[in-house]
Amino acid sequence: MTTTAPPPRQSPDSEPARSGLAARVSLGRAFQPVPSEFLLIASAALLLTGFGLVMVLSATSAADGGQNPFDHVLKQGIFAVVGIPLMFVLSRAPMQFWKGIAWPVLIAATLFQLLVYVPGLGIESYGNRNWVQIAGFQFQPAEFLKLALALWMATVLYRKRRLLTSWKHVFIPVVPVAVLVIGTVLGGRDLGTVMILVLVVLGALFFAGIKLRMFIVPAVLSIAVVLLSAFGSENRMARIASLFDPDDASCYYTSCYQSLHGVWGLASGGVLGLGLGNSKEKYDWLPAAANDYIFAIIGEELGLIGCLVVLVLFALFAVGAFHVVRRTDDAFVRIVAGGITLWIVGQALVNVGVVLRIFPVLGVPLPFMSQGGTSLLSVLIACGVLLSCARTLPDRRAVTATPVRATRRRRTSSAQPTE
């Protein structure tokens, strides 16, 4: 007769130890390794933001009228201090969260954009009505429309992903809503922002995988909208025509004053630049030196080396973001990450092209770097969405380790003697 010993009684002290172990496991999940794409996107975004704060300080240090030279960079720094932690907080949001808020965010951003037409709130500058003044702060609502439109397009196209072989499901509700949203910006005559919004829409359709014959129609419609907006302004047409003028000096006092000073700033910097803070163009020669033309100040003060550093950082950002698009198996992640990437990288290329006189003056800021709290905050929030998408990628180490373990198990089982 065999007897079994009763199980040992647990002491009261064993329960706290178990809780402590559970806490350590939970803490480990919170700090689990992230994909390399996450680190690449986050690092590029942080370096560009820091670089931008330094250049905003340098470009606005020539402020006259007894103004504190640190006022502008402090305002920009406030948005950076708010946006960077918000970027990492949003990076932990699940994809279901972004799908759920797509419609409310698009409606709220569109209503915010409509405030530019309210007398007393809307501000017109250089022929564009795209700013609002609220409680002493100036905002550009169209910057939030870019992110809202990318999220909404990804949500709608993801839900209809099995129906995108039909014209009806591709165009409704995408085309009517996109036209309505872009029309709120087009009414303010902001051609640069309209081009970026069109790029977001076309990028979302492309990464959704619609057929080429369906993609051509919205592309042609988008080009028509941009051309109509360009031909609707004499000032804008003069700027476009100045690109093809063989005698650049003839339009110095009319349509190409800003673009010529931007090129002269880049040329005077040479390879190594004049030194940080030594720009001459920022002394009321170059309009919007800290905003749309901050790349010209970078070239003047830091030379070709500084410009290449900025372009390399944007290239690294693009590599990390497009790796997310390439590696994901989730259609929603692919569409929203592709749309946001085309927005940020495309806007950076357009801004640099404007400074180099490849494109006419469009009023498009350089992401992360141009002065403007609304632009910086919207881009950092968009980076939070990108980082959230990067967290969904499969772990490369787990994928490569699984076949190795399976091979080892097969070898071990085959090596065991049979009876």
Side-chain angles (χ1 to χ4, degrees):
M1 178 177 174
T2 59
T3 59
T4 58
R9 299 180 61 185
Q10 296 180 352
S11 62
D13 298 332
S14 61
E15 187 63 24
R18 187 180 304 171
S19 300
L21 178 60
R24 287 195 296 271
V25 171
S26 178
L27 189 63
R29 289 176 181 175
F31 290 94
Q32 61 185 355
V34 293
S36 58
E37 291 82 2
F38 183 100
L39 298 176
L40 196 57
I41 295 171
S43 301
L46 292 176
L47 289 173
L48 285 169
T49 303
F51 197 174
L53 290 175
V54 173
M55 294 312 303
V56 168
L57 174 61
S58 176
T60 58
S61 61
D64 53 4
Q67 187 177 10
N68 187 347
F70 294 98
D71 283 348
H72 294 282
V73 72
L74 287 177
K75 291 180 181 179
Q76 187 82 352
I78 291 174
F79 286 95
V81 169
V82 173
I84 291 174
L86 185 60
M87 175 181 72
F88 287 107
V89 170
L90 294 177
S91 71
R92 294 192 169 275
M95 293 299 104
Q96 197 61 34
F97 171 78
W98 300 117
K99 297 174 187 176
I101 68 170
W103 272 104
V105 166
L106 182 66
I107 294 172
T110 305
L111 294 176
F112 190 28
Q113 171 64 24
L114 291 176
L115 293 180
V116 303
Y117 303 105
V118 177
L121 293 179
I123 299 175
E124 185 171 345
S125 177
Y126 296 103
N128 296 340
R129 191 177 183 87
N130 204 23
W131 293 266
V132 293
Q133 185 88 17
I134 301 176
F137 288 91
Q138 189 168 314
F139 302 94
Q140 190 172 1
E143 293 296 326
F144 295 115
L145 270 181
K146 300 171 185 176
L147 175 59
L149 192 58
L151 282 174
W152 180 83
M153 291 283 297
T155 302
V156 171
L157 293 174
Y158 171 77
R159 290 175 179 174
K160 305 180 77 170
R161 61 191 181 277
R162 294 184 178 88
L163 304 173
L164 295 181
T165 56
S166 171
W167 287 85
K168 177 178 66 176
H169 291 287
V170 171
F171 284 87
I172 299 176
V174 168
V175 173
V177 174
V179 169
L180 178 63
V181 170
I182 296 175
T184 61
V185 181
L186 191 61
R189 300 183 298 276
D190 188 354
L191 178 60
T193 303
V194 168
M195 290 178 60
I196 302 302
L197 289 172
V198 167
L199 185 63
V200 171
V201 173
L202 294 179
L205 291 173
F206 175 80
F207 288 109
I210 67 171
K211 294 181 179 180
L212 181 60
R213 66 175 183 271
M214 297 184 185
F215 186 80
I216 292 176
V217 175
V220 172
L221 291 176
S222 302
I223 295 174
V225 169
V226 172
L227 291 178
L228 288 175
S229 178
F231 287 115
S233 171
E234 294 182 3
N235 182 31
R236 194 174 290 122
M237 283 303 301
R239 291 181 176 183
I240 296 175
S242 68
L243 295 176
F244 307 99
D245 194 341
D247 184 11
D248 290 338
S250 62
C251 60
Y252 179 79
Y253 292 105
T254 54
S255 58
C256 60
Y257 173 88
Q258 186 177 16
S259 57
L260 285 179
H261 275 281
V263 172
W264 292 344
L266 286 171
S268 61
V271 177
L272 300 178
L274 303 178
L276 188 63
N278 293 330
S279 169
K280 299 176 182 178
E281 291 290 341
K282 67 183 179 182
Y283 288 95
D284 293 333
W285 288 104
L286 178 61
N291 303 327
D292 304 337
Y293 270 77
I294 196 168
F295 190 75
I297 304 300
I298 295 172
E300 185 181 8
E301 294 187 350
L302 303 178
L304 178 63
I305 303 300
C307 293
L308 289 178
V309 169
V310 173
L311 295 178
V312 167
L313 289 176
F314 275 110
L316 293 176
F317 179 89
V319 168
F322 279 120
H323 266 243
V324 175
V325 176
R326 183 180 63 86
R327 289 187 56 205
T328 186
D329 296 326
D330 190 336
F332 175 80
V333 172
R334 182 172 61 254
I335 298 170
V336 71
I340 291 175
T341 305
L342 285 182
W343 155 28
I344 296 177
V345 178
Q347 184 169 313
L349 293 177
V350 170
N351 179 275
V352 173
V354 168
V355 176
L356 295 175
R357 292 204 71 196
I358 299 174
F359 304 126
V361 178
L362 296 171
V364 175
L366 184 63
F368 300 106
M369 305 195 71
S370 290
Q371 182 187 10
T374 312
S375 174
L376 178 61
L377 185 60
S378 64
V379 170
L380 289 175
I381 293 175
C383 285
V385 180
L386 272 179
L387 296 179
S388 177
C389 294
R391 286 184 182 275
T392 65
L393 297 179
D395 189 357
R396 285 193 178 98
R397 291 171 297 180
V399 173
T400 55
T402 301
V404 174
R405 291 172 182 170
T407 304
R408 289 178 178 175
R409 284 196 298 268
R410 287 196 298 269
R411 290 178 179 175
T412 304
S413 60
S414 62
Q416 291 179 352
T418 58
E419 294 182 356

